[in-house]
Amino acid sequence: MNYKSTRGHDVPQTFSEILLGGLAPDGGLYLPQQYPQISADELESWRKLSYADLAYEILARFCDDIPAEDLRALTRKTYTAEVYCNARAGDNTADITPLRKLGDEAGAPLYLLGLSNGPTLAFKDMAMQLLGNLFEYALARAGQELNILGATSGDTGSAAEYAMRGKRGIRVFMLSPHNKMSAFQTAQMFSLQDPNIFNLAVQGVFDDCQDIVKAVSNDLEFKSRQKIGTVNSINWARVVAQVVYYFKGWLLATDGPGQKVSFCVPSGNFGNVCAGHIARMMGLPIDKLVVATNENDVLDEFFRTGIYRVRKAAETYHTSSPSMDISKASNFERFIFDLLGQDAGKLAQLFRDVDTKGGFDLSGTPDYERIRQFGFVSGRSTHDDRIATIRDLSARYGITIDTHTADGVKVAREHLSAGTPMVVLETALPAKFADTIREALGREPERPAAFEGIEALPQRFEVMPADVEQVKAYIARHTGL
């Protein structure tokens, strides 16, 4: 299995070669030269597999340059009940991603797929824990070191830091928007005292952080000298690890071959739902891929109108689902590449327009008309919607959900089809967003005992302006390279 860039860089790369990098040399994102196909018979044969062994079966299709016994050992090391031990009472942690039926609404079974049982209580752990083990394995095999540069709007940062803390040969430099995350999210990251973890609070919004990561990645000389890698969803390994739970969710929600399932995905950066798109391209019987946004609705606007309009920092709202406060979806390029029939030249021009004009317009074109062929629909949720949905699920089903998952449930309900299961992907446990849970329910959300009082722990971070050169200088000072 070799990989190519969405923007046309034509030197084939193996999985191991792109694992430790990020952007392709031409600024594009990596995709496999062809999507592996999973037959209905293969899919049925996977019904009784553990999550770890299902992950092996799927990942083996994408990283055939890692010996099978090593890859299986890595997935079994990653996906254990001990690592994913924060499940709610009544859920089976051995399932890693327990599926909970909420009820039948509009003639459709409505489900919640539990993805937040990992060490940082968010779905990002599902891929990041594997990425940490893959990185350590690859670096040891090559005798190399890696300096990870990432950007987070809330959950990616803590998931990456918990996955990489103490890993040999790895340092993490994580950028986050200063004072824009929840108190719990901030404490999860900044309270870590591991010497290989560096937190930079950037004076700006998430998109400023993301732009810095891309700018550093595009400085090929600096990137090579400083051994820069990424853990954001521009990293292919992280996206393909997320593909696994779509297969698991489908297997849990069905009982026979060919049955269609829809998935609703709270999304800001398009990485999570991009994994669903890839699963569908591999042959998973997905009916709809429902993109749920908050007030920062750049993705909803595109799927409704064909206009992709990046918002400026002043137009980016600080909301009660802060991990989706993103107005420039870095993973969107992978889907657009497929939408354009993998025309790299046309793709490159559109994203030059993003850089120079702030977006592009596909409305009224044959390309936009093909969106429904890929199963995509979308919707938008507001703070009032989140409050109402959290209250409704608590009263109706006796379950407390976080703010981002509430966005997902709200939008999922707008796209139900009778007889077709709708699976909402859980984003995080509600403990991470206590202020909004108190507003909605008048009480504190439950939190695992290990996180009691985390906000009061000493915090270690550095505030920095949104300046690429200052970030590069900081990295150089702390690596000695």
mmCIF file of all heavy atoms in Angstrom, residues 64-88:
data_model
loop_
_atom_site.group_PDB
_atom_site.id
_atom_site.type_symbol
_atom_site.label_atom_id
_atom_site.label_comp_id
_atom_site.label_asym_id
_atom_site.label_seq_id
_atom_site.Cartn_x
_atom_site.Cartn_y
_atom_site.Cartn_z
ATOM 1 N N ASP A 64 0.943 -2.305 5.299
ATOM 2 C CA ASP A 64 1.489 -3.635 5.049
ATOM 3 C C ASP A 64 3.008 -3.684 5.130
ATOM 4 O O ASP A 64 3.614 -4.734 4.917
ATOM 5 C CB ASP A 64 1.021 -4.168 3.692
ATOM 6 C CG ASP A 64 1.290 -3.199 2.548
ATOM 7 O OD1 ASP A 64 1.961 -2.176 2.768
ATOM 8 O OD2 ASP A 64 0.811 -3.477 1.420
ATOM 9 N N ASP A 65 3.649 -2.542 5.457
ATOM 10 C CA ASP A 65 5.103 -2.557 5.637
ATOM 11 C C ASP A 65 5.500 -2.774 7.098
ATOM 12 O O ASP A 65 6.685 -2.786 7.427
ATOM 13 C CB ASP A 65 5.731 -1.269 5.098
ATOM 14 C CG ASP A 65 5.176 -0.014 5.758
ATOM 15 O OD1 ASP A 65 3.996 -0.031 6.156
ATOM 16 O OD2 ASP A 65 5.904 0.985 5.842
ATOM 17 N N ILE A 66 4.513 -2.940 7.991
ATOM 18 C CA ILE A 66 4.781 -3.334 9.375
ATOM 19 C C ILE A 66 4.481 -4.825 9.482
ATOM 20 O O ILE A 66 3.391 -5.265 9.089
ATOM 21 C CB ILE A 66 3.915 -2.544 10.364
ATOM 22 C CG1 ILE A 66 4.278 -1.059 10.330
ATOM 23 C CG2 ILE A 66 4.082 -3.079 11.785
ATOM 24 C CD1 ILE A 66 3.441 -0.189 11.251
ATOM 25 N N PRO A 67 5.419 -5.640 9.984
ATOM 26 C CA PRO A 67 5.162 -7.082 10.100
ATOM 27 C C PRO A 67 3.861 -7.364 10.841
ATOM 28 O O PRO A 67 3.540 -6.700 11.837
ATOM 29 C CB PRO A 67 6.375 -7.592 10.884
ATOM 30 C CG PRO A 67 7.466 -6.610 10.579
ATOM 31 C CD PRO A 67 6.776 -5.277 10.460
ATOM 32 N N ALA A 68 3.108 -8.340 10.343
ATOM 33 C CA ALA A 68 1.773 -8.624 10.883
ATOM 34 C C ALA A 68 1.805 -8.889 12.384
ATOM 35 O O ALA A 68 0.949 -8.394 13.131
ATOM 36 C CB ALA A 68 1.163 -9.812 10.146
ATOM 37 N N GLU A 69 2.810 -9.645 12.838
ATOM 38 C CA GLU A 69 2.847 -9.968 14.264
ATOM 39 C C GLU A 69 3.118 -8.722 15.109
ATOM 40 O O GLU A 69 2.619 -8.590 16.239
ATOM 41 C CB GLU A 69 3.891 -11.048 14.560
ATOM 42 C CG GLU A 69 5.314 -10.691 14.191
ATOM 43 C CD GLU A 69 5.688 -11.014 12.757
ATOM 44 O OE1 GLU A 69 4.772 -11.177 11.914
ATOM 45 O OE2 GLU A 69 6.905 -11.107 12.477
ATOM 46 N N ASP A 70 3.907 -7.784 14.565
ATOM 47 C CA ASP A 70 4.165 -6.534 15.287
ATOM 48 C C ASP A 70 2.913 -5.665 15.337
ATOM 49 O O ASP A 70 2.591 -5.076 16.380
ATOM 50 C CB ASP A 70 5.306 -5.760 14.620
ATOM 51 C CG ASP A 70 6.648 -6.441 14.766
ATOM 52 O OD1 ASP A 70 6.728 -7.465 15.467
ATOM 53 O OD2 ASP A 70 7.636 -5.951 14.168
ATOM 54 N N LEU A 71 2.213 -5.563 14.219
ATOM 55 C CA LEU A 71 1.007 -4.740 14.176
ATOM 56 C C LEU A 71 -0.065 -5.301 15.106
ATOM 57 O O LEU A 71 -0.713 -4.557 15.842
ATOM 58 C CB LEU A 71 0.473 -4.654 12.744
ATOM 59 C CG LEU A 71 -0.758 -3.765 12.546
ATOM 60 C CD1 LEU A 71 -0.458 -2.327 12.965
ATOM 61 C CD2 LEU A 71 -1.226 -3.819 11.087
ATOM 62 N N ARG A 72 -0.239 -6.620 15.106
ATOM 63 C CA ARG A 72 -1.232 -7.224 15.999
ATOM 64 C C ARG A 72 -0.856 -6.970 17.462
ATOM 65 O O ARG A 72 -1.717 -6.689 18.305
ATOM 66 C CB ARG A 72 -1.366 -8.718 15.729
ATOM 67 C CG ARG A 72 -2.593 -9.330 16.411
ATOM 68 C CD ARG A 72 -2.649 -10.833 16.212
ATOM 69 N NE ARG A 72 -2.822 -11.216 14.831
ATOM 70 C CZ ARG A 72 -3.991 -11.283 14.209
ATOM 71 N NH1 ARG A 72 -5.100 -10.944 14.851
ATOM 72 N NH2 ARG A 72 -4.066 -11.678 12.957
ATOM 73 N N ALA A 73 0.430 -7.063 17.772
ATOM 74 C CA ALA A 73 0.879 -6.805 19.149
ATOM 75 C C ALA A 73 0.597 -5.354 19.542
ATOM 76 O O ALA A 73 0.211 -5.072 20.685
ATOM 77 C CB ALA A 73 2.363 -7.120 19.283
ATOM 78 N N LEU A 74 0.754 -4.422 18.598
ATOM 79 C CA LEU A 74 0.504 -3.004 18.885
ATOM 80 C C LEU A 74 -0.980 -2.744 19.137
ATOM 81 O O LEU A 74 -1.340 -2.002 20.063
ATOM 82 C CB LEU A 74 0.997 -2.137 17.727
ATOM 83 C CG LEU A 74 2.516 -1.981 17.615
ATOM 84 C CD1 LEU A 74 2.905 -1.398 16.263
ATOM 85 C CD2 LEU A 74 3.050 -1.091 18.736
ATOM 86 N N THR A 75 -1.866 -3.338 18.337
ATOM 87 C CA THR A 75 -3.294 -3.104 18.571
ATOM 88 C C THR A 75 -3.747 -3.753 19.870
ATOM 89 O O THR A 75 -4.575 -3.194 20.603
ATOM 90 C CB THR A 75 -4.143 -3.613 17.392
ATOM 91 O OG1 THR A 75 -3.971 -5.016 17.223
ATOM 92 C CG2 THR A 75 -3.786 -2.877 16.107
ATOM 93 N N ARG A 76 -3.191 -4.928 20.180
ATOM 94 C CA ARG A 76 -3.573 -5.587 21.439
ATOM 95 C C ARG A 76 -2.999 -4.863 22.657
ATOM 96 O O ARG A 76 -3.599 -4.888 23.742
ATOM 97 C CB ARG A 76 -3.129 -7.046 21.407
ATOM 98 C CG ARG A 76 -3.978 -7.899 20.467
ATOM 99 C CD ARG A 76 -3.560 -9.353 20.445
ATOM 100 N NE ARG A 76 -4.495 -10.158 19.652
ATOM 101 C CZ ARG A 76 -4.347 -11.455 19.403
ATOM 102 N NH1 ARG A 76 -3.275 -12.113 19.905
ATOM 103 N NH2 ARG A 76 -5.222 -12.115 18.678
ATOM 104 N N LYS A 77 -1.862 -4.232 22.503
ATOM 105 C CA LYS A 77 -1.291 -3.426 23.585
ATOM 106 C C LYS A 77 -2.124 -2.172 23.827
ATOM 107 O O LYS A 77 -2.259 -1.703 24.965
ATOM 108 C CB LYS A 77 0.149 -3.039 23.220
ATOM 109 C CG LYS A 77 0.827 -2.107 24.214
ATOM 110 C CD LYS A 77 2.226 -1.723 23.736
ATOM 111 C CE LYS A 77 2.904 -0.750 24.684
ATOM 112 N NZ LYS A 77 4.264 -0.361 24.188
ATOM 113 N N THR A 78 -2.711 -1.636 22.757
ATOM 114 C CA THR A 78 -3.434 -0.370 22.834
ATOM 115 C C THR A 78 -4.848 -0.545 23.370
ATOM 116 O O THR A 78 -5.263 0.143 24.315
ATOM 117 C CB THR A 78 -3.503 0.284 21.443
ATOM 118 O OG1 THR A 78 -2.184 0.511 20.957
ATOM 119 C CG2 THR A 78 -4.261 1.601 21.500
ATOM 120 N N TYR A 79 -5.603 -1.448 22.767
ATOM 121 C CA TYR A 79 -7.041 -1.513 23.034
ATOM 122 C C TYR A 79 -7.346 -2.572 24.088
ATOM 123 O O TYR A 79 -7.725 -3.702 23.786
ATOM 124 C CB TYR A 79 -7.798 -1.765 21.730
ATOM 125 C CG TYR A 79 -7.617 -0.630 20.746
ATOM 126 C CD1 TYR A 79 -6.907 -0.811 19.566
ATOM 127 C CD2 TYR A 79 -8.121 0.642 21.026
ATOM 128 C CE1 TYR A 79 -6.722 0.243 18.671
ATOM 129 C CE2 TYR A 79 -7.938 1.696 20.152
ATOM 130 C CZ TYR A 79 -7.233 1.492 18.973
ATOM 131 O OH TYR A 79 -7.052 2.540 18.104
ATOM 132 N N THR A 80 -7.148 -2.162 25.335
ATOM 133 C CA THR A 80 -7.395 -3.043 26.471
ATOM 134 C C THR A 80 -8.413 -2.400 27.406
ATOM 135 O O THR A 80 -8.573 -1.176 27.438
ATOM 136 C CB THR A 80 -6.104 -3.298 27.263
ATOM 137 O OG1 THR A 80 -5.708 -2.067 27.908
ATOM 138 C CG2 THR A 80 -4.969 -3.778 26.358
ATOM 139 N N ALA A 81 -9.086 -3.244 28.190
ATOM 140 C CA ALA A 81 -10.049 -2.735 29.170
ATOM 141 C C ALA A 81 -9.365 -1.883 30.225
ATOM 142 O O ALA A 81 -9.988 -1.006 30.823
ATOM 143 C CB ALA A 81 -10.798 -3.896 29.812
ATOM 144 N N GLU A 82 -8.070 -2.140 30.465
ATOM 145 C CA GLU A 82 -7.336 -1.350 31.459
ATOM 146 C C GLU A 82 -7.117 0.081 30.975
ATOM 147 O O GLU A 82 -7.171 1.031 31.771
ATOM 148 C CB GLU A 82 -5.986 -2.008 31.761
ATOM 149 C CG GLU A 82 -6.078 -3.322 32.528
ATOM 150 C CD GLU A 82 -6.621 -4.470 31.687
ATOM 151 O OE1 GLU A 82 -6.385 -4.464 30.442
ATOM 152 O OE2 GLU A 82 -7.279 -5.357 32.249
ATOM 153 N N VAL A 83 -6.861 0.262 29.679
ATOM 154 C CA VAL A 83 -6.648 1.604 29.124
ATOM 155 C C VAL A 83 -7.978 2.342 28.978
ATOM 156 O O VAL A 83 -8.094 3.526 29.291
ATOM 157 C CB VAL A 83 -5.927 1.525 27.760
ATOM 158 C CG1 VAL A 83 -5.854 2.912 27.106
ATOM 159 C CG2 VAL A 83 -4.518 0.962 27.943
ATOM 160 N N TYR A 84 -9.000 1.611 28.533
ATOM 161 C CA TYR A 84 -10.316 2.224 28.306
ATOM 162 C C TYR A 84 -11.252 1.818 29.433
ATOM 163 O O TYR A 84 -12.200 1.054 29.258
ATOM 164 C CB TYR A 84 -10.860 1.798 26.934
ATOM 165 C CG TYR A 84 -9.999 2.337 25.815
ATOM 166 C CD1 TYR A 84 -8.911 1.608 25.344
ATOM 167 C CD2 TYR A 84 -10.235 3.593 25.269
ATOM 168 C CE1 TYR A 84 -8.087 2.120 24.347
ATOM 169 C CE2 TYR A 84 -9.417 4.113 24.276
ATOM 170 C CZ TYR A 84 -8.347 3.365 23.826
ATOM 171 O OH TYR A 84 -7.526 3.874 22.849
ATOM 172 N N CYS A 85 -10.961 2.369 30.618
ATOM 173 C CA CYS A 85 -11.628 1.904 31.842
ATOM 174 C C CYS A 85 -12.579 2.932 32.426
ATOM 175 O O CYS A 85 -13.014 2.792 33.556
ATOM 176 C CB CYS A 85 -10.588 1.525 32.894
ATOM 177 S SG CYS A 85 -9.514 2.895 33.363
ATOM 178 N N ASN A 86 -12.913 3.993 31.670
ATOM 179 C CA ASN A 86 -13.748 5.052 32.235
ATOM 180 C C ASN A 86 -15.204 4.954 31.802
ATOM 181 O O ASN A 86 -15.932 5.936 31.811
ATOM 182 C CB ASN A 86 -13.179 6.420 31.828
ATOM 183 C CG ASN A 86 -11.869 6.703 32.535
ATOM 184 O OD1 ASN A 86 -11.792 6.582 33.739
ATOM 185 N ND2 ASN A 86 -10.839 7.048 31.778
ATOM 186 N N ALA A 87 -15.626 3.756 31.380
ATOM 187 C CA ALA A 87 -17.002 3.600 30.914
ATOM 188 C C ALA A 87 -18.001 3.885 32.027
ATOM 189 O O ALA A 87 -17.725 3.687 33.199
ATOM 190 C CB ALA A 87 -17.223 2.195 30.369
ATOM 191 N N ARG A 88 -19.171 4.336 31.603
ATOM 192 C CA ARG A 88 -20.223 4.580 32.581
ATOM 193 C C ARG A 88 -20.695 3.265 33.200
ATOM 194 O O ARG A 88 -20.564 2.200 32.615
ATOM 195 C CB ARG A 88 -21.409 5.257 31.900
ATOM 196 C CG ARG A 88 -21.116 6.643 31.364
ATOM 197 C CD ARG A 88 -22.408 7.246 30.819
ATOM 198 N NE ARG A 88 -22.152 8.570 30.263
ATOM 199 C CZ ARG A 88 -21.815 8.780 29.019
ATOM 200 N NH1 ARG A 88 -21.680 7.772 28.190
ATOM 201 N NH2 ARG A 88 -21.608 10.009 28.574
#
